[in-house]
Amino acid sequence: MDKNVLRQLSYGVYAVSTLDGERAVGCIANSIIQVTYDTVAVSMNHTNFTHECMEKTKKFAISILAEDTEMNTIAFLGFQSGREKNKFEHIETITVDGLSIVKNAVGYLICELVDKMDTETHSVFLGKITDGAVLSDSKKPMTYAYYHEVKKGNSPKAAPTYLG
Ligand SMILES: Cc1cc2nc3c(=O)[nH]c(=O)nc-3n(C[C@H](O)[C@H](O)[C@H](O)COP(=O)(O)O)c2cc1C
């Protein structure tokens, strides 16, 4: 297979947040799709601490990141683990339903975890959307292509789209 064909798939860039007890945890994910009018799916690596906490907490939020998101925010959330760091200490957030939302986001979704499907490396979590709001009409949501081409970002091994 020509792996480059996978680079032609389109995504956004999101922060998935949940709780470790009362502590805000989460990570960056590009692999979010709307499955039905009120259901989304997210592919989460088994080794991510967020995976463990989503399963325990059974709810999560998705912050739809804006093009002007600071690369530091993506570095905090996407390149280190909540096992060792309080990532959200460094990020401006608002709290909705007990979950931390990136304040600079274009909008957010609050989801109840309803199902899970496993692959060797990732679980696909299904979330039923219980709430959501637009936070900015003027900001543009960041696409995965924009993240790579304009922001010059890259993705770690845990991302499902990592091609080496
Ligand atoms: C642009 C980008 C996209 C990512 N997409 C995903 C994803 O869709 N699923 C996933 O499991 N990890 C993804 N990651 C990797 C996690 O964000 C990363 O492994 C994080 O450090 C996990 O933190 P945690 O251990 O606190 O959960 C992505 C990272 C970046 C920078």
Side-chain angles (χ1 to χ4, degrees), residues 11-14 16 25-32 42-52 74-85 87 121-123 144 147-148 153-161:
Y11 308 94
V13 182
Y14 309 92
V16 176
V25 293
C27 70
I28 299 293
N30 64 278
S31 59
I32 287 168
V42 50
S43 171
M44 189 58 63
N45 196 288
H46 295 155
T47 61
N48 287 353
F49 187 53
T50 308
H51 183 290
E52 186 179 322
I74 296 176
F76 283 136
L77 292 172
F79 287 91
Q80 50 186 4
S81 181
R83 276 193 193 88
E84 294 102 34
K85 295 264 160 89
K87 301 181 188 183
T121 54
H122 290 72
S123 301
Y144 200 49
Y147 172 71
H148 286 287
N154 49 38
S155 307
K157 262 191 172 169
T161 44

